Each structure stands twice: as structure tokens, then as C-alpha cells.
Coordinates of all heavy atoms in Angstrom, one line a residue:
M1 N 76.2 242.0 130.2 CA 75.4 242.5 131.3 C 74.9 241.4 132.2 O 74.2 240.5 131.8 CB 74.1 243.2 130.7 CG 73.3 244.0 131.7 SD 74.1 245.5 132.3 CE 73.0 245.9 133.7
A2 N 75.4 241.5 133.4 CA 75.0 240.4 134.4 C 73.5 240.6 134.8 O 73.0 241.7 134.9 CB 75.9 240.5 135.6
R3 N 72.8 239.5 135.0 CA 71.5 239.6 135.5 C 71.4 238.7 136.7 O 72.2 237.8 137.0 CB 70.5 239.2 134.4 CG 70.8 237.8 133.9 CD 69.7 237.4 132.9 NE 70.0 236.2 132.1 CZ 70.1 235.0 132.6 NH1 69.9 234.7 133.9 NH2 70.4 234.0 131.8
A4 N 70.3 238.8 137.4 CA 70.1 237.9 138.6 C 70.1 236.5 138.2 O 69.4 236.1 137.3 CB 68.8 238.3 139.3
A5 N 70.9 235.7 138.8 CA 71.0 234.3 138.4 C 70.0 233.5 139.2 O 69.5 234.0 140.2 CB 72.4 233.8 138.6
A6 N 69.9 232.2 138.8 CA 69.0 231.4 139.6 C 69.6 231.2 141.0 O 70.8 231.3 141.2 CB 68.9 230.0 138.9
Q7 N 68.8 230.9 142.0 CA 69.2 230.8 143.3 C 69.0 229.3 143.7 O 67.9 228.8 143.5 CB 68.3 231.7 144.2 CG 68.9 232.0 145.5 CD 68.0 233.1 146.3 OE1 67.2 233.7 145.7 NE2 68.2 233.2 147.6
T8 N 70.0 228.7 144.3 CA 69.8 227.3 144.7 C 69.7 227.1 146.2 O 70.5 227.7 146.9 CB 71.0 226.5 144.2 OG1 71.1 226.6 142.8 CG2 70.9 225.0 144.5
F9 N 68.7 226.4 146.7 CA 68.5 226.2 148.1 C 68.9 224.8 148.4 O 68.4 223.8 147.9 CB 67.1 226.4 148.5 CG 66.7 227.9 148.4 CD1 66.0 228.3 147.2 CD2 67.0 228.8 149.4 CE1 65.7 229.7 147.1 CE2 66.6 230.1 149.3 CZ 66.0 230.6 148.1
V10 N 69.9 224.6 149.4 CA 70.4 223.3 149.8 C 70.3 223.4 151.4 O 70.9 224.3 152.0 CB 71.8 223.1 149.4 CG1 72.3 221.7 149.9 CG2 72.0 223.2 147.9
D11 N 69.7 222.4 152.0 CA 69.5 222.4 153.4 C 69.0 223.7 154.0 O 69.5 224.2 155.0 CB 70.9 222.0 154.1 CG 71.3 220.6 153.8 OD1 70.4 219.7 153.6 OD2 72.5 220.3 153.8
D12 N 68.1 224.3 153.3 CA 67.5 225.6 153.7 C 66.1 225.7 153.3 O 65.6 226.5 152.5 CB 68.3 226.7 153.0 CG 67.9 228.1 153.4 OD1 67.2 228.2 154.5 OD2 68.3 229.1 152.8
D13 N 65.3 224.8 154.0 CA 63.8 224.8 153.7 C 63.2 226.2 154.0 O 62.3 226.7 153.3 CB 63.1 223.8 154.6 CG 63.2 222.4 153.9 OD1 64.1 222.2 153.1 OD2 62.4 221.6 154.2
E14 N 63.7 226.8 155.1 CA 63.1 228.1 155.5 C 63.4 229.1 154.4 O 62.4 229.9 154.0 CB 63.9 228.5 156.8 CG 63.1 229.5 157.6 CD 63.8 229.8 158.9 OE1 64.4 228.9 159.5 OE2 63.8 231.0 159.4
G15 N 64.6 229.2 153.9 CA 64.9 230.1 152.8 C 64.1 229.8 151.5 O 63.6 230.7 150.9
Y16 N 63.9 228.5 151.3 CA 63.2 228.1 150.1 C 61.7 228.5 150.2 O 61.2 229.1 149.3 CB 63.3 226.6 149.9 CG 62.3 226.0 148.9 CD1 62.4 226.4 147.6 CD2 61.4 225.1 149.3 CE1 61.5 225.9 146.6 CE2 60.5 224.5 148.3 CZ 60.5 225.0 147.0 OH 59.6 224.5 146.1
L17 N 61.1 228.2 151.3 CA 59.7 228.5 151.5 C 59.5 230.0 151.5 O 58.4 230.5 151.0 CB 59.1 227.9 152.8 CG 59.1 226.3 152.7 CD1 58.8 225.7 154.0 CD2 58.1 225.9 151.6
A18 N 60.4 230.8 152.0 CA 60.3 232.2 152.0 C 60.4 232.8 150.6 O 59.7 233.6 150.1 CB 61.4 232.9 152.9
W19 N 61.3 232.2 149.8 CA 61.5 232.6 148.4 C 60.2 232.3 147.6 O 59.7 233.1 146.9 CB 62.7 231.8 147.7 CG 62.8 232.2 146.3 CD1 63.6 233.2 145.8 CD2 62.1 231.6 145.2 NE1 63.5 233.2 144.4 CE2 62.6 232.3 144.0 CE3 61.2 230.6 145.1 CZ2 62.1 231.9 142.7 CZ3 60.7 230.2 143.8 CH2 61.2 230.9 142.7
Q20 N 59.7 231.1 147.9 CA 58.5 230.6 147.2 C 57.3 231.6 147.5 O 56.5 231.9 146.6 CB 58.2 229.2 147.6 CG 57.2 228.5 146.8 CD 57.1 227.0 147.3 OE1 56.9 226.9 148.5 NE2 57.1 226.1 146.4
A21 N 57.2 231.9 148.8 CA 56.1 232.8 149.1 C 56.2 234.2 148.5 O 55.2 234.9 148.1 CB 56.0 233.0 150.7
A22 N 57.5 234.6 148.3 CA 57.7 235.9 147.7 C 57.6 235.9 146.2 O 57.5 237.0 145.6 CB 59.1 236.4 148.1
H23 N 57.8 234.8 145.5 CA 57.8 234.7 144.1 C 56.9 233.6 143.5 O 57.3 232.8 142.8 CB 59.3 234.4 143.6 CG 60.3 235.4 144.1 ND1 60.4 236.6 143.7 CD2 61.2 235.2 145.1 CE1 61.4 237.3 144.3 NE2 61.9 236.4 145.2
P24 N 55.6 233.7 143.8 CA 54.7 232.7 143.3 C 54.6 232.6 141.8 O 54.1 231.7 141.2 CB 53.3 233.1 143.9 CG 53.5 234.6 144.2 CD 54.9 234.8 144.5
D25 N 55.1 233.7 141.1 CA 55.0 233.7 139.6 C 56.2 233.2 139.0 O 56.3 233.2 137.7 CB 54.7 235.2 139.2 CG 55.8 236.2 139.8 OD1 56.3 235.9 140.9 OD2 56.0 237.2 139.1
L26 N 57.2 232.8 139.7 CA 58.5 232.3 139.1 C 58.5 230.8 139.1 O 57.5 230.1 139.3 CB 59.7 232.9 139.9 CG 59.8 234.4 139.8 CD1 61.1 234.9 140.4 CD2 59.7 234.9 138.4
Y27 N 59.7 230.2 138.9 CA 59.8 228.8 138.6 C 60.8 228.1 139.5 O 61.8 228.8 140.0 CB 60.2 228.6 137.1 CG 59.1 229.0 136.2 CD1 59.0 230.4 135.8 CD2 58.2 228.1 135.7 CE1 58.0 230.8 135.0 CE2 57.1 228.6 134.9 CZ 57.0 229.9 134.5 OH 56.0 230.3 133.7
V28 N 60.7 226.8 139.6 CA 61.6 226.0 140.5 C 62.0 224.8 139.8 O 61.1 224.1 139.2 CB 60.9 225.7 141.8 CG1 61.7 224.7 142.7 CG2 60.5 226.9 142.6
I29 N 63.3 224.5 139.8 CA 63.7 223.2 139.3 C 64.0 222.3 140.5 O 64.8 222.7 141.4 CB 65.0 223.3 138.4 CG1 64.7 224.0 137.1 CG2 65.6 221.9 138.2 CD1 65.9 224.2 136.2
N30 N 63.4 221.1 140.5 CA 63.7 220.1 141.5 C 64.9 219.3 141.0 O 64.8 218.7 140.0 CB 62.4 219.3 141.8 CG 62.5 218.5 143.0 OD1 63.2 218.9 144.0 ND2 61.9 217.3 143.0
A31 N 66.0 219.2 141.8 CA 67.2 218.6 141.3 C 67.8 217.6 142.3 O 67.6 217.9 143.5 CB 68.2 219.6 140.9
E32 N 68.4 216.6 141.9 CA 69.2 215.8 142.8 C 70.3 216.7 143.4 O 70.7 217.7 142.8 CB 69.9 214.7 142.1 CG 68.9 213.6 141.7 CD 69.6 212.4 140.9 OE1 70.9 212.3 141.0 OE2 68.9 211.7 140.2
R33 N 70.8 216.4 144.6 CA 71.8 217.2 145.3 C 73.0 217.4 144.4 O 73.7 218.4 144.5 CB 72.1 216.5 146.6 CG 72.7 217.5 147.6 CD 72.8 216.8 149.0 NE 73.5 217.6 149.9 CZ 72.9 218.2 150.9 NH1 71.6 218.2 151.0 NH2 73.6 219.0 151.7
S34 N 73.3 216.4 143.6 CA 74.5 216.4 142.7 C 74.2 217.3 141.5 O 75.1 217.5 140.7 CB 74.8 215.0 142.2 OG 73.7 214.5 141.4
L35 N 73.0 217.8 141.3 CA 72.5 218.5 140.2 C 72.7 217.7 138.9 O 72.9 218.2 137.8 CB 73.3 219.9 140.0 CG 73.2 220.8 141.2 CD1 73.9 222.1 140.9 CD2 71.8 221.1 141.6
N36 N 72.5 216.4 139.0 CA 72.5 215.5 137.9 C 71.6 216.1 136.7 O 70.4 216.2 136.9 CB 71.9 214.2 138.3 CG 71.8 213.2 137.2 OD1 72.1 213.5 136.0 ND2 71.3 212.0 137.5
P37 N 72.2 216.5 135.6 CA 71.5 217.1 134.5 C 70.4 216.2 133.9 O 69.5 216.7 133.2 CB 72.5 217.5 133.5 CG 73.7 216.7 133.8 CD 73.7 216.3 135.3
N38 N 70.5 214.9 134.2 CA 69.5 214.0 133.6 C 68.3 213.8 134.5 O 67.4 213.1 134.1 CB 70.2 212.6 133.4 CG 71.3 212.7 132.4 OD1 71.2 213.4 131.3 ND2 72.4 212.1 132.7
N39 N 68.3 214.5 135.6 CA 67.1 214.4 136.5 C 66.7 215.7 137.1 O 66.8 216.0 138.3 CB 67.4 213.4 137.6 CG 66.1 213.0 138.4 OD1 65.0 213.3 137.9 ND2 66.3 212.4 139.5
L40 N 66.3 216.6 136.2 CA 65.9 218.0 136.6 C 64.4 218.1 136.1 O 64.1 217.8 135.0 CB 66.7 219.0 135.9 CG 68.2 219.0 136.1 CD1 68.9 220.1 135.3 CD2 68.6 219.2 137.6
V41 N 63.6 218.6 137.0 CA 62.2 218.8 136.7 C 61.8 220.3 137.0 O 62.0 220.7 138.1 CB 61.2 217.8 137.4 CG1 59.8 218.1 137.0 CG2 61.6 216.4 137.1
L42 N 61.3 220.9 136.0 CA 60.9 222.3 136.1 C 59.4 222.4 136.5 O 58.5 221.8 136.0 CB 61.0 223.0 134.7 CG 60.6 224.5 134.7 CD1 61.6 225.4 135.5 CD2 60.5 225.0 133.3
H43 N 59.2 223.2 137.6 CA 57.8 223.5 138.1 C 57.5 225.0 138.2 O 58.4 225.8 138.3 CB 57.7 223.0 139.6 CG 58.0 221.5 139.7 ND1 57.0 220.6 139.7 CD2 59.1 220.8 140.0 CE1 57.5 219.4 139.9 NE2 58.8 219.5 140.1
R44 N 56.3 225.3 138.2 CA 55.8 226.6 138.6 C 56.1 226.6 140.1 O 55.9 225.6 140.8 CB 54.4 226.8 138.4 CG 54.0 226.9 136.9 CD 52.5 227.2 136.8 NE 52.1 227.0 135.4 CZ 52.2 228.0 134.5 NH1 52.8 229.1 134.8 NH2 51.9 227.8 133.2
A45 N 56.4 227.8 140.7 CA 56.7 227.9 142.1 C 55.5 227.5 143.0 O 55.7 227.0 144.1 CB 57.1 229.4 142.5
T46 N 54.3 227.5 142.4 CA 53.1 227.2 143.2 C 52.7 225.7 143.0 O 51.7 225.3 143.6 CB 51.9 228.1 142.7 OG1 51.8 227.9 141.2 CG2 52.1 229.5 143.0
C47 N 53.5 224.9 142.3 CA 53.1 223.5 142.1 C 52.9 222.8 143.4 O 53.8 222.9 144.3 CB 54.2 222.8 141.3 SG 53.7 221.1 140.9
R48 N 51.8 222.0 143.5 CA 51.6 221.4 144.8 C 52.6 220.3 145.1 O 52.7 219.9 146.3 CB 50.2 220.8 144.8 CG 49.9 219.7 143.8 CD 48.5 219.2 143.9 NE 48.1 218.4 142.8 CZ 48.4 217.1 142.6 NH1 49.1 216.5 143.5 NH2 48.0 216.5 141.5
T49 N 53.3 219.8 144.2 CA 54.3 218.8 144.5 C 55.6 219.3 145.1 O 56.4 218.6 145.6 CB 54.7 218.0 143.2 OG1 55.4 218.9 142.3 CG2 53.5 217.4 142.5
I50 N 55.8 220.6 145.1 CA 57.0 221.2 145.7 C 56.7 222.3 146.7 O 57.5 223.1 147.0 CB 57.9 221.8 144.6 CG1 57.1 222.8 143.7 CG2 58.5 220.7 143.7 CD1 58.0 223.8 143.0
S51 N 55.4 222.4 147.2 CA 55.1 223.4 148.2 C 54.3 222.8 149.3 O 53.9 221.7 149.3 CB 54.3 224.5 147.5 OG 53.1 224.0 147.0
G52 N 54.2 223.6 150.4 CA 53.4 223.1 151.6 C 54.3 222.3 152.4 O 55.5 222.5 152.6
T53 N 53.8 221.2 153.0 CA 54.5 220.4 154.0 C 55.2 219.2 153.2 O 54.5 218.5 152.5 CB 53.6 219.8 155.1 OG1 53.0 220.9 155.7 CG2 54.4 219.0 156.1
P54 N 56.5 219.0 153.3 CA 57.1 217.9 152.6 C 56.5 216.5 153.0 O 56.1 216.4 154.2 CB 58.6 217.9 153.0 CG 58.7 219.2 153.7 CD 57.4 219.7 154.2
T55 N 56.4 215.6 152.1 CA 55.8 214.3 152.4 C 56.8 213.5 153.2 O 58.0 213.7 153.2 CB 55.5 213.5 151.1 OG1 56.7 213.6 150.3 CG2 54.4 214.2 150.4
R56 N 56.3 212.5 154.0 CA 57.1 211.6 154.7 C 58.1 212.3 155.7 O 59.2 211.7 155.9 CB 57.9 210.6 153.8 CG 56.9 209.8 152.9 CD 57.7 208.8 152.1 NE 58.6 209.4 151.1 CZ 58.3 209.8 149.9 NH1 57.1 209.7 149.5 NH2 59.2 210.3 149.1
G57 N 57.8 213.4 156.2 CA 58.6 214.1 157.2 C 60.0 214.4 156.7 O 60.9 214.7 157.4
S58 N 60.2 214.5 155.3 CA 61.5 214.8 154.8 C 61.6 216.3 154.7 O 60.7 217.1 155.1 CB 61.7 214.1 153.5 OG 60.7 214.5 152.6
Q59 N 62.6 216.8 154.0 CA 62.8 218.2 153.8 C 62.7 218.5 152.3 O 62.9 217.6 151.5 CB 64.1 218.8 154.4 CG 65.1 217.8 154.8 CD 66.5 218.3 154.9 OE1 67.5 217.7 154.7 NE2 66.6 219.6 155.4
W60 N 62.4 219.8 152.0 CA 62.4 220.2 150.6 C 63.8 220.3 150.0 O 64.0 220.1 148.8 CB 61.7 221.5 150.4 CG 60.2 221.4 150.7 CD1 59.5 222.1 151.7 CD2 59.3 220.7 149.9 NE1 58.2 221.7 151.5 CE2 58.0 220.9 150.5 CE3 59.4 219.9 148.8 CZ2 56.8 220.3 150.0 CZ3 58.2 219.3 148.3 CH2 57.0 219.5 148.9
T61 N 64.7 220.6 150.8 CA 66.1 221.0 150.3 C 67.2 220.1 150.9 O 68.2 220.6 151.3 CB 66.4 222.5 150.5 OG1 66.3 222.7 152.0 CG2 65.4 223.4 149.8
G62 N 66.9 218.8 151.0 CA 67.9 217.8 151.5 C 68.5 217.0 150.3 O 69.3 217.5 149.6
P63 N 68.0 215.7 150.2 CA 68.5 214.9 149.1 C 68.2 215.5 147.7 O 69.0 215.3 146.8 CB 67.8 213.6 149.3 CG 67.2 213.6 150.7 CD 67.1 215.0 151.1
Y64 N 67.1 216.2 147.7 CA 66.8 217.0 146.5 C 66.9 218.4 146.9 O 66.6 218.8 148.0 CB 65.4 216.7 146.0 CG 65.3 215.4 145.2 CD1 65.3 214.2 145.8 CD2 65.4 215.5 143.8 CE1 65.3 213.0 145.0 CE2 65.3 214.3 143.0 CZ 65.3 213.1 143.6 OH 65.3 211.9 142.9
V65 N 67.4 219.2 145.9 CA 67.5 220.7 146.2 C 66.7 221.4 145.2 O 66.1 220.9 144.2 CB 69.0 221.1 146.1 CG1 69.9 220.3 147.0 CG2 69.5 220.9 144.6
K66 N 66.5 222.7 145.5 CA 65.6 223.5 144.6 C 66.4 224.7 144.0 O 67.0 225.4 144.7 CB 64.5 224.1 145.5 CG 63.6 223.0 146.2 CD 62.8 222.2 145.3 CE 62.0 221.1 146.0 NZ 62.8 220.0 146.4
I67 N 66.3 224.8 142.7 CA 66.9 225.9 141.9 C 65.8 226.8 141.5 O 64.9 226.4 140.8 CB 67.7 225.3 140.7 CG1 68.6 224.2 141.1 CG2 68.4 226.5 140.0 CD1 69.2 223.4 139.9
C68 N 65.9 228.0 142.0 CA 64.7 228.9 141.8 C 65.1 230.2 141.0 O 66.2 230.7 141.1 CB 64.3 229.4 143.2 SG 63.9 228.1 144.3
G69 N 64.1 230.6 140.2 CA 64.4 231.8 139.4 C 63.3 232.0 138.4 O 62.3 231.3 138.3
S70 N 63.6 233.0 137.5 CA 62.6 233.2 136.4 C 62.9 232.2 135.3 O 63.9 231.5 135.4 CB 62.9 234.6 135.8 OG 64.1 234.7 135.2
Q71 N 62.0 232.1 134.4 CA 62.2 231.1 133.3 C 63.5 231.3 132.6 O 64.2 230.4 132.2 CB 61.0 231.2 132.4 CG 60.6 229.8 131.8 CD 59.2 229.8 131.2 OE1 58.6 230.8 131.0 NE2 58.7 228.6 131.0
S72 N 63.9 232.6 132.4 CA 65.2 232.8 131.7 C 66.4 232.5 132.6 O 67.4 232.0 132.1 CB 65.2 234.3 131.2 OG 65.1 235.2 132.2
D73 N 66.2 232.7 133.9 CA 67.3 232.3 134.8 C 67.6 230.8 134.6 O 68.7 230.3 134.7 CB 67.0 232.6 136.3 CG 66.9 234.1 136.6 OD1 67.5 234.9 135.9 OD2 66.3 234.4 137.6
L74 N 66.5 230.1 134.5 CA 66.6 228.6 134.5 C 66.9 228.1 133.1 O 67.1 226.9 133.0 CB 65.3 228.0 135.1 CG 65.0 228.5 136.5 CD1 63.7 227.9 137.0 CD2 66.1 228.1 137.5
D75 N 67.0 229.0 132.1 CA 67.5 228.5 130.8 C 68.9 227.9 130.8 O 69.2 227.2 129.9 CB 67.5 229.7 129.8 CG 66.1 229.9 129.3 OD1 65.2 229.1 129.5 OD2 66.0 231.0 128.6
E76 N 69.6 228.2 131.9 CA 71.0 227.6 132.0 C 70.9 226.1 132.4 O 71.9 225.4 132.4 CB 71.9 228.4 132.9 CG 71.3 228.4 134.4 CD 72.2 229.3 135.3 OE1 73.3 228.9 135.6 OE2 71.7 230.4 135.6
Y77 N 69.7 225.6 132.5 CA 69.5 224.1 132.8 C 68.6 223.6 131.7 O 67.4 223.2 131.9 CB 68.8 223.9 134.2 CG 69.7 224.5 135.3 CD1 69.4 225.8 135.8 CD2 70.7 223.7 135.8 CE1 70.2 226.3 136.8 CE2 71.5 224.3 136.9 CZ 71.2 225.5 137.3 OH 72.0 226.1 138.3
P78 N 69.2 223.5 130.5 CA 68.3 223.1 129.3 C 67.8 221.7 129.4 O 66.8 221.4 128.6 CB 69.3 223.3 128.1 CG 70.6 223.2 128.7 CD 70.5 223.7 130.1
T79 N 68.3 220.9 130.2 CA 67.8 219.5 130.3 C 66.6 219.3 131.2 O 66.1 218.2 131.3 CB 68.9 218.5 130.7 OG1 69.4 218.9 132.0 CG2 70.1 218.5 129.7
A80 N 66.2 220.4 131.9 CA 65.1 220.3 132.8 C 63.8 219.9 132.0 O 63.5 220.5 131.0 CB 64.9 221.6 133.5
R81 N 63.1 219.0 132.5 CA 61.8 218.5 131.9 C 60.6 219.3 132.6 O 60.7 219.4 133.8 CB 61.6 217.0 132.0 CG 62.5 216.2 131.2 CD 62.4 214.7 131.6 NE 63.0 214.4 132.9 CZ 62.4 214.0 134.0 NH1 61.1 213.8 134.0 NH2 63.1 213.7 135.1
P82 N 59.6 219.7 131.8 CA 58.5 220.3 132.5 C 57.7 219.3 133.3 O 57.5 218.2 132.9 CB 57.6 220.8 131.3 CG 58.1 220.1 130.1 CD 59.5 219.6 130.4
C83 N 57.2 219.8 134.5 CA 56.4 218.9 135.4 C 55.1 218.6 134.6 O 54.5 219.5 134.0 CB 56.1 219.7 136.6 SG 54.8 219.0 137.7
R84 N 54.6 217.4 134.8 CA 53.4 217.0 134.1 C 52.2 217.5 134.8 O 51.1 217.4 134.2 CB 53.4 215.5 133.9 CG 54.1 215.0 132.7 CD 53.9 213.5 132.5 NE 55.1 212.8 132.8 CZ 55.2 211.5 133.0 NH1 54.1 210.8 133.0 NH2 56.3 210.9 133.2
I85 N 52.3 218.0 136.0 CA 51.2 218.4 136.7 C 51.0 219.9 136.5 O 49.9 220.4 136.1 CB 51.3 218.1 138.2 CG1 51.3 216.6 138.4 CG2 50.3 218.8 139.1 CD1 51.7 216.1 139.8
C86 N 52.0 220.7 136.8 CA 51.8 222.2 136.7 C 52.2 222.8 135.4 O 51.8 223.9 135.1 CB 52.6 222.9 137.8 SG 54.4 222.7 137.7
L87 N 52.9 222.1 134.5 CA 53.3 222.7 133.2 C 52.9 221.8 132.1 O 53.5 221.8 131.0 CB 54.9 222.9 133.2 CG 55.4 224.0 134.1 CD1 56.9 223.9 134.2 CD2 55.0 225.3 133.6
A88 N 51.8 221.1 132.3 CA 51.4 220.2 131.2 C 51.2 220.8 129.9 O 51.4 220.2 128.8 CB 50.1 219.5 131.7
D89 N 50.7 222.1 129.9 CA 50.4 222.8 128.6 C 51.5 223.7 128.2 O 51.3 224.5 127.3 CB 49.1 223.5 128.8 CG 48.0 222.6 129.2 OD1 48.0 221.4 128.7 OD2 47.1 223.0 130.0
D90 N 52.6 223.8 128.9 CA 53.7 224.7 128.6 C 54.9 224.1 128.0 O 55.1 222.9 128.2 CB 54.1 225.4 129.9 CG 53.2 226.6 130.3 OD1 52.0 226.3 130.3 OD2 53.7 227.7 130.6
R91 N 55.7 224.9 127.4 CA 57.0 224.5 126.9 C 56.9 223.2 126.2 O 57.3 222.2 126.6 CB 58.0 224.4 128.0 CG 58.5 225.7 128.5 CD 59.2 225.7 129.8 NE 60.6 225.1 129.7 CZ 61.7 225.9 129.7 NH1 61.6 227.2 129.8 NH2 62.8 225.3 129.7
Ligands
LIG101 ZN1 55.0 220.8 139.1

């Protein structure tokens, strides 16, 4: 049975921020553009490190991209580490 898969935003800050606004209860993996499995960090969608205005005038979905979905959607990225800010007490 197919289910909604994780959605990846690349060079699409507008789409990412719209998704985030619509799904504050879901999760986001911050990944290198290459999706290097050794550098994935899992955040709550509301984490302050991945929302609002990007630092240093960069974009949210440029050199780093955002993989968005429910916690089970993101199970396909088992190497993702929990963010120490928003998921300190989880997983
Ligand atoms: Zn976080």
C-alpha cells in the first residue's frame, strides 16, 4: 500500500515555507544537496533553526535542502540525527 512519501524541497524556499506553515506538526530533515546520508539532521517543522528568515541572506533550500514529512515518512532516512535544540528529549 503506497503512502504519501516525504517531500524534498530544492531551490524552492517559497514551497518549503508554505509546506512548513501548513504542517507545523510534522518533521523536516536538513540535508546536504547531495543527500549525504552522514549529514542529515531531523527537526520539528517549527524548529527555530530551520524557520523564519534564513541567516546570512542565504536560502533555506539551496546548498542545503529540506526533506519534509511525517515521522514515518522520514523513516526512510535512518541515519538522520535528532536536532539537539528541538528534539533533545525525543528519539
Ligand atoms: Zn531543530
Side-chain angles (χ1 to χ4, degrees):
M1 185 70 191
R3 56 174 167 70
Q7 201 175 343
T8 303
F9 292 96
V10 181
D11 291 333
D12 183 14
D13 278 22
E14 204 176 322
Y16 168 60
L17 292 170
W19 179 93
Q20 197 177 44
H23 304 287
D25 53 332
L26 296 186
Y27 294 83
V28 175
I29 289 175
N30 194 30
E32 288 178 19
R33 204 173 173 101
S34 64
L35 304 184
N36 175 1
N38 299 315
N39 190 14
L40 302 175
V41 181
L42 178 71
H43 298 269
R44 294 182 189 278
T46 52
C47 182
R48 63 180 165 81
T49 68
I50 55 158
S51 60
T53 304
T55 51
R56 299 185 298 276
S58 59
Q59 16 163 211
W60 288 117
T61 55
Y64 279 78
V65 302
K66 302 292 179 282
I67 307 166
C68 303
S70 67
Q71 213 159 16
S72 61
D73 291 337
L74 299 179
D75 278 350
E76 61 186 287
Y77 301 94
T79 58
R81 291 172 283 115
C83 170
R84 276 188 249 162
I85 294 169
C86 63
L87 288 171
D89 303 323
D90 277 49
R91 285 165 76 102

